[in-house]
């Protein structure tokens, strides 16, 4: 379950951006939040999550800082940057267009 | 805003490695612990919870590696690792490393240096505006395809042509410069007023000539070359307006030409003076002493221009049948006029250095193959440990980069050094006439060429081992002692490369042989006199004191008498033009008593003193030499050479017959002697009919001295100069040299010698590399077949049979290489036909000796591994595996 095969290619980035758009979050919380929000459908494992986070950070769409977490330990919190916000808006619009188009076809068929 | 941030992150990754790693570790561990807490909360046992968490993570190290990948860390890491490893590998095989670097440096050094010459001569644009529209303008006569214009013809061409934006004329001459310290000869050029405007060159200081400033009525004006300004006037700007005395005439310096300006056909000129047509030659339509240079009108092609000037020449021929009979017209691009002579030799040298580069490259490729072969095990192990093929190839690329970088750096040093050496080897008098070769440097074009070679070398250095890698199964390499298909495949490829090397070496050797033989025949061409122990010196006497014939005769007699008195001198002669310089200074004559229809029988005329032929050591065939008493008061006499006899008196006795110049009424000149052909023109040009007239009947204040000595030639020159100075300090002397030096440094001898030596050098290196390559292949083959040879010997094969086995293999390679090379070299020889003299392109002796030399060298090279093979101990050879 290292790579969530049921996740459409490239959508993991968008999900991460969307989730942390609400508030800064650490990796584990991001995975939990995606699972909850998707009604337990999407399971994001460590194997996909952390490389994605590091890639997003290297692209300067998110930044990170260390802070004390809810369980009292130090954790790495990720925050959306302005550039990331723009990417998210663009990706979301793109996704909605695509999803609408696919469901149109699926229903008529 | 985003990019600075990205850059900061990348830099942090690079500079704070430790911290980034620690953070990564902590981040992943946090996740793992949360996962475990969750599992514990769900009621699992501690062990179960841990196990489930581990499973969900799926390998902590792998995750880290993926994150590092995302951060672009691995790329940098691997490259550094590769480079480090490459250096270690190269250090481990120092012999290979140095050889590969040396090969590249050698091949690159030679070709880049030659290319720098090609660039300076053929590629770099001439320092004129729009130089492609500039053409050299010449008349033509049967004897000279590019002959000079006469001043009168020049004026008519200028007026009548419809194709030139402008047409100007120039000539080259020596002036006597009077300075406070005395007189000295200076090289100068005379040009018409618009010369520099036609070239599109403006003085850096002062002004250009005014229109009409070249006429006899105008005050004399002169422009300085940049070099003369620096040397004679220390670059002081006040020089403009100063007056200098040239040939006794005051001339005003009006400006200085740009530093980069040069004009080879008139070089080396320090003073650029206006033409000021005066004296017998400039005013006579039949006297040709000028060269033309013109700028084509925009859109006019060379063909159209040529057609136009040909029409003009025809018109002038009709209008002035006496002087312009058979005077045609021709044009050539100015670039051709300036560099045409050395273009073929440069191209040959470029080809030669290219072949050397090829052979060096092939040799390097061969080395790389052997090395790749010996590294099969290493590659197999690395591949088994998980290195991808791409990663292995990247290793070769890195190693190649290191080798090429070192080789190229060294190659540039070699080429710079070679350039300096080659320039220094050019005789100074020739270098001065090739100003475009000055300031040869590693300019951007040359560096770009070097860069291309480096890229090609890099491709060779990486593709060869990579190709080898893909040739064999890497896994096969793990099997102990495997001598699989790849070994054979390499042997086949390696053999092909060696054949290529040997063939290339043959081509270069044949080229060098033919060029060497040409030089040999050129320097042994019959010049008709004995050049040993001869000293020559040019003399120019001031016009004011020696313009009249009787004054010049006295000068000649006095100088001869004083020089004869110098100890060791056996004979002294005087001529208006020294031998082996050129067939110029011609005259037209006809034979009295024969029908004549106005044709121009053109021959070089030399006015020589009574002692000239004796001093020269020329052979009198019949008749007699001149006497000192034969001057204007005696009947006119002449001596002719055998070529003239052959052409104009094929079946009769010329002695006692009379010639005349084309004057009306004819003035008879009696032929009193026939002399064996003296080489007046360049060595490689067949001797033409020539006419010798007594100096005392046609005197001049410019002449050359020929002095035969029984003692040291070197010590004679200063003694001669001081004897002349003693007689009259107003006389200048120049170009003192022994006759042998004159001949050896003459342009044709120099061009032949330099090409022979350079191609010979390339060929020797090629031979060495080719033979070393062959040795490598045979030695490798022996090392591969040790077991087989051991088996053969164990079964009773004698050492002789082993020798035969190995030498047969080498012999085949050599034979194929030599045959392919000989076939290619006959083709290559056709390309250098123009540079050959007195030797056929398929000179059997050359071809045979090259084959022999290469055969012997190859056998020697393969004898060493063959002996090793024959001395194999069968027991050990069989046990070794």
């Amino acid at each position: 379950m290292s790579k969530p095969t049921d996740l459409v290619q490239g959508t993991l980035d968008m999900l991460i951006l969307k989730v942390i758009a609400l508030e800064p979050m650490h990796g584990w919380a991001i995975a939990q939040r995606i699972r909850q929000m998707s009604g337990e459908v999407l399971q994001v494992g460590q194997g996909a999550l952390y490389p994605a986070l590091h890639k997003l950070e290297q692209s300067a769409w998110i930044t990170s800082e260390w802070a004390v977490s809810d369980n009292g330990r130090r954790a790495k919190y990720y925050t959306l940057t302005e550039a990331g916000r723009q990417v998210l808006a663009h990706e979301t619009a793109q996704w909605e267009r695509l999803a609408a188009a696919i469901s149109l076809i699926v229903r008529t068929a | 805003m985003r990019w600075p941030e990205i850059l900061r992150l990348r830099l942090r990754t690079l500079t704070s490695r430790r911290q980034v790693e620690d953070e990564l570790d902590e981040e992943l561990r946090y996740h793992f612990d949360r996962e475990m807490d969750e599992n514990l909360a769900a009621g699992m046992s501690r062990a179960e919870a841990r196990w489930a968490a581990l499973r969900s993570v799926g390998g902590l190290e792998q995750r880290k590696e993926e994150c590092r990948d995302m951060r672009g860390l691995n790329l940098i890491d691997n490259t550094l690792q590769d480079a480090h490893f490459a250096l270690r590998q190269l250090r481990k095989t120092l012999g290979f490393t140095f050889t590969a670097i040396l090969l590249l440096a050698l091949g690159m050094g030679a070709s880049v240096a030659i290319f720098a010459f090609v660039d300076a001569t053929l590629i770099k644009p001439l320092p004129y505006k729009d130089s492609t529209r500039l053409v050299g303008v010449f008349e033509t006569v049967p004897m000279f395809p590019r002959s000079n214009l006469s001043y009168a013809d020049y004026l008519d061409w200028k007026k009548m042509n419809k194709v030139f934006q402008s047409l100007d004329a120039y000539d080259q001459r020596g002036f006597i410069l009077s300075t406070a310290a005395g007189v000295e000869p200076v090289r100068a050029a005379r040009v018409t007023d618009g010369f520099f405007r036609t070239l599109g060159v403006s003085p850096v200081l002062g002004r250009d000539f005014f229109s009409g400033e070249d006429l006899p009525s105008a005050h004399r004006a002169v422009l300085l070359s940049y070099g003369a300004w620096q040397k004679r006037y220390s670059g002081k700007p006040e020089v403009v307006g100063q007056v200098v005395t040239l040939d006794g005439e005051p001339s005003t310096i009006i400006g200085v030409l740009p530093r980069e300006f040069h004009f080879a056909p008139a070089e080396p000129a320090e003073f650029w003076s206006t033409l000021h047509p005066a004296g017998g030659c400039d005013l006579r339509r039949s006297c040709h002493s000028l060269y033309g240079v013109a700028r084509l009108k925009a859109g006019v092609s060379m063909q159209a221009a040529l057609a136009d000037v040909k029409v003009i020449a025809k018109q002038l021929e009709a209008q002035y049948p006496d002087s312009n009979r058979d005077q045609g017209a021709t044009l050539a691009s100015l670039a051709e006029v300036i560099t045409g002579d050395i273009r073929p030799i440069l191209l040959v040298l470029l080809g030669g250095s290219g072949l050397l580069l090829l052979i060096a490259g092939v040799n390097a490729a061969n080395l790389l193959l052997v090395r790749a072969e010996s590294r099969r095990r290493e590659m197999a192990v690395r591949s088994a440990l998980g290195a991808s093929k791409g990663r292995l190839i990247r290793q070769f690329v890195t190693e190649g980069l290191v080798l090429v970088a070192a080789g190229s750096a060294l190659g540039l040093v070699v080429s710079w050094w070679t350039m300096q050496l080659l320039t220094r080897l050019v005789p100074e008098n020739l270098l001065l006439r090739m100003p475009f070769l000055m300031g040869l440097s590693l300019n951007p074009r040359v560096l770009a060429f070097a860069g291309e070679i480096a890229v090609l070398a890099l491709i060779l250095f990486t593709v060869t081992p990579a190709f080898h890698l893909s040739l064999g199964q890497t896994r096969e390499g793990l099997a102990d002692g495997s001598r699989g298909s790849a070994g054979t495949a390499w042997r086949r490829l390696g053999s092909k490369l060696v054949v290529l090397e040997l063939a290339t070496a043959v081509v270069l050797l044949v080229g060098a042989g033919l060029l060497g033989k040409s030089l040999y025949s050129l320097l042994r061409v019959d010049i008709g006199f004995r050049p040993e122990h001869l000293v020559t010196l040019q003399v120019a006497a001031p016009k004011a004191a020696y313009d009249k014939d009787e004054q010049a005769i006295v000068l000649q007699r006095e100088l001869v008498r004083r020089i004869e008195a110098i100890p060791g001198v056996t004979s002294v002669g005087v001529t208006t033009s020294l031998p082996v310089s050129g067939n110029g200074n011609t005259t037209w004559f006809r034979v009295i008593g024969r029908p004549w229809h106005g044709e121009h029988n053109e021959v070089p005329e030399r006015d020589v003193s009574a002692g000239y032929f004796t001093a020269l050591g020329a052979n009198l065939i019949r008749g007699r030499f001149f006497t000192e008493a034969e001057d204007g008061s005696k009947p006119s006499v002449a001596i002719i050479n055998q070529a003239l006899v052959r052409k104009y008196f094929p079946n009769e006795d010329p002695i006692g017959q009379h010639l005349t110049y084309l004057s009306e009424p004819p003035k008879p000149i009696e032929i009193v002697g026939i002399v064996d052909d003296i080489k007046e023109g360049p060595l490689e040009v067949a001797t033409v009919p020539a006419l010798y007239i007594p100096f005392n009947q046609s005197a001049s204040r410019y002449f050359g001295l020929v002095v035969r000595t029984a003692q040291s030639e070197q010590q004679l020159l200063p003694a001669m100069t001081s004897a002349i100075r003693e007689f009259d300090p107003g006389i200048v002397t120049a170009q003192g040299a022994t006759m042998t030096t004159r001949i050896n440094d003459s342009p044709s001898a120099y061009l032949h010698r330099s090409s022979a030596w350079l191609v010979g050098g390339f060929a020797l290196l090629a031979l060495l590399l080719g033979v070393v390559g062959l040795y490598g292949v045979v030695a490798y083959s022996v090392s591969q077949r040790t077991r087989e040879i051991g088996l053969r010997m164990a079964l009773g094969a004698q050492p002789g049979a082993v020798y035969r086995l190995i030498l047969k293999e080498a012999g085949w390679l050599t034979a194929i290489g030599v045959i392919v090379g000989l076939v290619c070299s006959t083709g290559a020889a056709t390309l250098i036909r123009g540079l050959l003299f007195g030797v056929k392109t398929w000179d059997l002796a050359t071809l045979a000796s090259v084959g022999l030399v290469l055969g012997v060298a190859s056998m020697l090279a393969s004898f060493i591994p063959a002996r090793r093979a024959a001395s194999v101990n069968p027991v050990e050879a069989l046990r070794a595996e």
Side-chain angles (χ1 to χ4, degrees):
Chain A
M1 80 163 245
S2 68
K3 298 243 156 109
T5 42
D6 47 353
L7 216 53
V8 178
Q9 196 78 40
T11 48
L12 179 60
D13 288 358
M14 184 180 74
L15 294 183
I16 294 171
L17 293 177
K18 177 74 191 170
V19 166
I20 61 169
L22 310 171
E23 51 171 339
M25 245 177 246
H26 51 72
W28 192 75
I30 294 170
Q32 296 302 313
R33 184 63 64 86
I34 290 175
R35 203 181 68 201
Q36 287 164 11
M37 286 172 75
S38 67
E40 307 287 321
V41 173
L42 296 175
Q43 300 264 356
V44 185
Q46 238 187 336
L49 180 63
Y50 286 96
L53 281 171
H54 282 266
K55 192 181 79 192
L56 291 172
E57 192 188 359
Q58 286 295 307
S59 312
W61 288 332
I62 59 178
T63 61
S64 64
E65 58 185 339
W66 289 87
V68 177
S69 72
D70 41 341
N71 74 348
R73 271 178 61 184
R74 229 164 68 99
K76 198 176 178 190
Y77 278 80
Y78 291 95
T79 317
L80 199 61
T81 64
E82 190 43 49
R85 206 169 291 282
Q86 285 170 18
V87 171
L88 175 60
H90 178 252
E91 291 282 313
T92 314
Q94 190 83 331
W95 170 258
E96 275 166 3
R97 233 164 39 90
L98 190 67
I102 290 174
S103 53
L104 252 172
I105 296 170
V106 172
R107 275 190 205 130
T108 41
Chain B
M1 198 199 124
R2 200 176 136 220
W3 289 110
E5 177 65 13
I6 291 177
L7 199 67
R8 195 189 63 78
L9 285 165
R10 291 284 148 96
L11 275 176
R12 176 167 178 263
T13 313
L14 258 185
T15 52
S16 330
R17 280 294 297 272
R18 205 53 266 158
Q19 203 188 340
V20 171
E21 281 290 320
D22 287 347
E23 283 183 10
L24 184 60
D25 191 58
E26 188 176 350
E27 187 180 18
L28 292 175
R29 193 152 291 283
Y30 178 85
H31 188 107
F32 178 79
D33 290 348
R34 289 299 292 260
E35 194 81 37
M36 231 178 103
D37 289 349
E38 191 90 333
N39 293 346
L40 284 174
M44 294 186 197
S45 76
R46 205 161 174 83
E48 271 175 340
R50 192 182 156 71
W51 181 240
L54 267 178
R55 223 175 355 162
S56 97
V57 169
L60 208 56
E61 276 313 308
Q62 262 167 290
R63 293 292 84 74
K64 279 189 190 172
E65 190 67 14
E66 279 167 18
C67 289
R68 286 188 202 115
D69 261 346
M70 284 305 164
R71 285 193 168 262
L73 253 179
N74 282 339
L75 187 69
I76 299 161
D77 250 18
N78 289 347
T79 312
L80 285 175
Q81 223 176 14
D82 281 350
H84 187 73
F85 189 64
L87 280 177
R88 224 172 50 204
Q89 285 294 321
L90 293 175
R91 240 196 340 257
K92 235 167 59 187
T93 46
L94 269 185
F96 160 80
T97 309
F98 279 131
T99 316
I101 290 177
L102 264 179
L103 282 172
L104 180 59
L106 189 76
M108 189 165 189
S111 6
V112 170
I114 297 296
F115 179 80
F117 278 86
V118 172
D119 171 66
T121 312
L122 306 178
I123 299 175
K124 195 172 156 195
L126 292 165
Y128 319 121
K129 201 183 99 200
D130 236 346
S131 60
T132 47
R133 275 169 57 201
L134 291 173
V135 291
V137 180
F138 306 91
E139 293 195 34
T140 62
V141 288
M143 199 168 147
F144 304 107
R146 281 184 196 166
S147 142
N148 309 63
L149 292 154
S150 68
Y151 185 67
D153 285 346
Y154 155 72
L155 290 179
D156 283 333
W157 287 37
K158 196 176 169 86
K159 206 160 50 199
M160 294 159 78
N161 85 79
K162 296 178 216 52
V163 289
F164 301 139
Q165 190 178 307
S166 58
L167 166 64
D168 280 277
Y170 62 92
D171 75 0
Q172 185 197 24
R173 69 170 48 184
F175 278 142
I176 301 176
L177 173 71
S178 312
T179 64
V183 293
E184 64 174 300
V186 288
R187 308 295 310 187
R190 296 192 311 160
V191 301
T192 52
D193 52 9
F195 179 79
F196 292 103
R197 283 186 289 279
T198 293
L199 294 183
V201 171
S202 316
V204 280
L205 191 68
R207 62 168 176 88
D208 195 354
F209 298 122
F210 289 139
S211 196
E213 208 168 11
D214 60 349
L215 299 175
S217 54
H219 180 77
R220 283 171 190 269
V222 65
L223 280 163
L224 292 178
S225 78
Y226 196 89
W229 180 48
Q230 293 295 324
K231 188 180 104 192
R232 296 182 182 275
Y233 301 96
S234 340
K236 290 201 186 93
E238 303 87 71
V239 72
V240 174
Q242 280 187 29
V243 174
V244 287
T245 309
L246 292 171
D247 266 5
E249 303 272 0
S251 311
T252 308
I253 297 173
I254 59 158
V256 176
L257 291 165
R259 182 203 290 266
E260 65 280 4
F261 170 76
H262 62 69
F263 189 78
E267 301 278 4
E270 290 191 282
F271 293 87
W272 295 78
S273 128
T274 44
L275 190 66
H276 277 77
C281 187
D282 287 346
L283 302 179
R284 221 166 54 230
R285 188 178 285 275
S286 60
C287 187
H288 297 81
S289 66
L290 301 174
Y291 296 94
V293 58
R295 180 172 288 278
L296 293 176
K297 280 182 183 164
V300 170
S301 71
M302 191 77 137
Q303 286 77 11
L306 184 60
D308 187 66
V309 291
K310 278 189 167 160
V311 168
I312 297 174
K314 276 264 171 276
Q315 277 174 328
L316 291 179
E317 193 176 354
Q319 201 174 344
Y320 307 102
D322 288 353
S323 60
N324 282 49
R325 182 178 167 126
D326 294 334
Q327 295 280 342
T330 188
L331 300 176
S333 78
L334 192 59
E336 218 274 300
V337 173
I338 290 178
T339 60
D341 288 348
I342 59 168
R343 174 194 294 263
I345 180 177
L346 278 176
L347 294 181
V348 165
L349 291 182
L350 192 64
S353 64
L355 287 178
L356 186 65
L357 180 64
L358 173 75
I359 211 169
V362 170
N363 225 320
N366 232 334
L367 274 182
L368 285 161
L369 280 179
V370 177
R371 188 159 173 274
E373 183 62 30
S374 66
R375 285 173 75 185
R376 296 182 66 75
R377 278 292 274 283
E378 173 203 334
M379 291 301 148
V381 169
R382 289 185 68 183
S383 155
L385 291 179
S388 65
K389 207 158 210 176
R391 186 70 207 283
L392 291 182
I393 287 173
R394 229 169 59 199
Q395 178 65 41
F396 287 126
V397 174
T398 319
E399 285 182 23
L401 261 175
V402 173
L403 286 177
V404 168
S408 309
L410 191 61
L412 283 183
V413 174
V414 171
S415 68
W416 187 84
W417 184 80
T418 314
M419 273 186 237
Q420 306 301 315
L421 180 78
L422 290 182
T423 325
R424 214 161 302 150
L425 288 180
V426 182
E428 204 194 343
N429 63 331
L430 284 179
L431 193 60
L432 285 173
R433 273 182 254 164
M434 297 190 277
F436 40 84
L437 288 185
M438 311 265 187
L440 216 58
S441 67
L442 291 170
N443 66 32
R445 276 184 306 270
V446 178
L447 285 178
F449 180 78
E452 281 162 34
I453 294 180
V455 170
L456 283 179
L458 183 63
I459 293 173
L460 178 76
F461 279 33
T462 54
V463 164
T464 315
F467 170 70
H468 178 262
L469 191 70
S470 61
L471 210 76
Q473 297 297 328
T474 36
R475 213 155 285 153
E476 208 175 88
L478 267 182
D480 195 25
S482 81
R483 295 284 186 269
S485 57
T488 327
W490 173 75
R491 251 167 62 198
R492 271 195 217 119
L493 183 62
S495 310
K496 275 181 197 136
L497 290 180
V498 162
V499 167
L500 178 62
E501 276 186 72
L502 293 177
T504 314
V506 167
V507 171
L508 275 171
L509 281 171
V510 169
L514 292 177
L515 290 171
K517 213 163 169 183
S518 296
L519 177 66
Y520 182 86
S521 9
L522 190 73
L523 291 181
R524 262 147 206 81
V525 80
D526 185 12
I527 51 175
F529 62 92
R530 290 178 286 121
E532 309 82 23
H533 307 298
L534 273 186
V535 176
T536 64
L537 184 68
Q538 289 282 356
V539 175
K543 186 175 178 183
Y546 300 98
D547 204 30
K548 294 202 179 73
D549 278 2
E550 47 274 33
Q551 293 169 324
I553 293 171
V554 170
L555 172 71
Q556 182 269 122
R557 285 187 177 146
E558 268 305 305
L559 292 194
V560 168
R561 191 179 65 78
R562 281 163 188 261
I563 292 169
E564 272 176 340
I566 298 172
V569 170
T570 52
S571 49
V572 181
V574 162
T575 173
T576 40
S577 283
L578 289 167
V580 198
S581 42
N583 282 326
N585 295 331
T586 56
T587 191
W588 297 326
F589 78 93
R590 67 185 174 92
V591 183
I592 291 180
R594 279 193 198 168
W596 179 69
H597 311 287
E599 60 267 26
H600 290 170
N601 302 318
E602 185 162 13
V603 291
E605 178 192 315
R606 301 287 176 262
D607 307 330
V608 303
S609 68
Y612 176 69
F613 293 112
T614 315
L616 212 53
N619 294 324
L620 183 69
I621 303 292
R622 279 163 45 71
R624 63 170 177 88
F625 286 147
F626 301 134
T627 68
E628 188 50 46
E630 272 167 327
D631 58 16
S633 65
K634 303 278 175 359
S636 295
V637 289
I639 291 173
I640 56 176
N641 69 358
Q642 286 207 295
L644 196 144
V645 177
R646 279 194 299 275
K647 183 159 178 196
Y648 295 99
F649 300 95
N651 295 311
E652 35 187 329
D653 184 4
I655 303 282
Q657 300 219 41
H658 289 83
L659 308 174
T660 176
Y661 297 126
L662 304 187
S663 57
E664 251 347 293
K667 283 183 228 146
I669 307 169
E670 187 188 346
I671 298 171
V672 295
I674 302 168
V675 72
D676 209 355
D677 287 347
I678 295 169
K679 191 64 84 183
E680 298 289 350
L683 290 175
E684 80 273 25
V685 174
T687 308
V688 296
L691 186 63
Y692 298 90
I693 299 292
F695 185 89
N696 294 349
Q697 292 183 344
S698 176
S700 153
R701 59 192 174 87
Y702 296 95
F703 52 78
L705 282 165
V706 184
V707 182
R708 186 165 290 279
T709 173
Q711 289 174 10
S712 151
E713 295 144 50
Q714 294 309 325
Q715 283 164 18
L716 184 57
L717 266 172
M720 280 165 66
T721 331
S722 55
I724 295 168
R725 279 270 148 94
E726 215 170 83
F727 171 67
D728 183 346
I731 298 172
V732 295
T733 55
Q735 297 173 47
T738 67
M739 185 61 92
T740 347
T741 312
R742 259 186 81 81
I743 293 173
N744 285 338
D745 285 357
S746 69
S748 57
Y750 173 71
L751 287 183
H752 276 88
R753 189 169 55 245
S754 53
S755 57
W757 276 109
L758 280 172
V759 175
F762 294 160
L764 271 186
L765 287 172
L767 174 68
L768 190 70
L769 294 182
V771 169
V772 167
L774 179 73
Y775 167 78
V777 165
V778 176
Y780 182 78
S781 153
V782 167
S783 74
Q784 294 279 291
R785 294 170 73 180
T786 309
R787 190 179 187 170
E788 175 203 330
I789 293 165
L791 197 63
R792 280 170 187 262
M793 290 178 83
L795 291 176
Q798 294 301 305
V802 177
Y803 269 110
R804 266 201 301 284
L805 183 75
I806 302 300
L807 290 181
K808 203 170 97 183
E809 185 184 341
W812 268 114
L813 292 181
T814 311
I816 298 171
V818 168
I819 289 166
V820 171
L822 287 180
V823 170
C824 292
S825 49
T826 41
T830 331
L831 292 178
I832 62 165
R833 199 169 56 233
L835 285 177
L836 299 184
F837 177 82
V839 57
K840 296 254 181 355
T841 51
W842 42 269
D843 184 63
L844 279 181
T846 307
L847 296 181
S849 358
V850 167
L852 192 70
V853 164
L854 205 76
V856 169
S858 301
M859 282 301 113
L860 282 179
S862 30
F863 184 75
I864 305 168
R867 206 177 62 176
R868 193 165 350 124
S871 59
V872 156
N873 180 342
V875 181
E876 271 176 25
L878 289 174
R879 204 186 318 161
E881 301 291 323

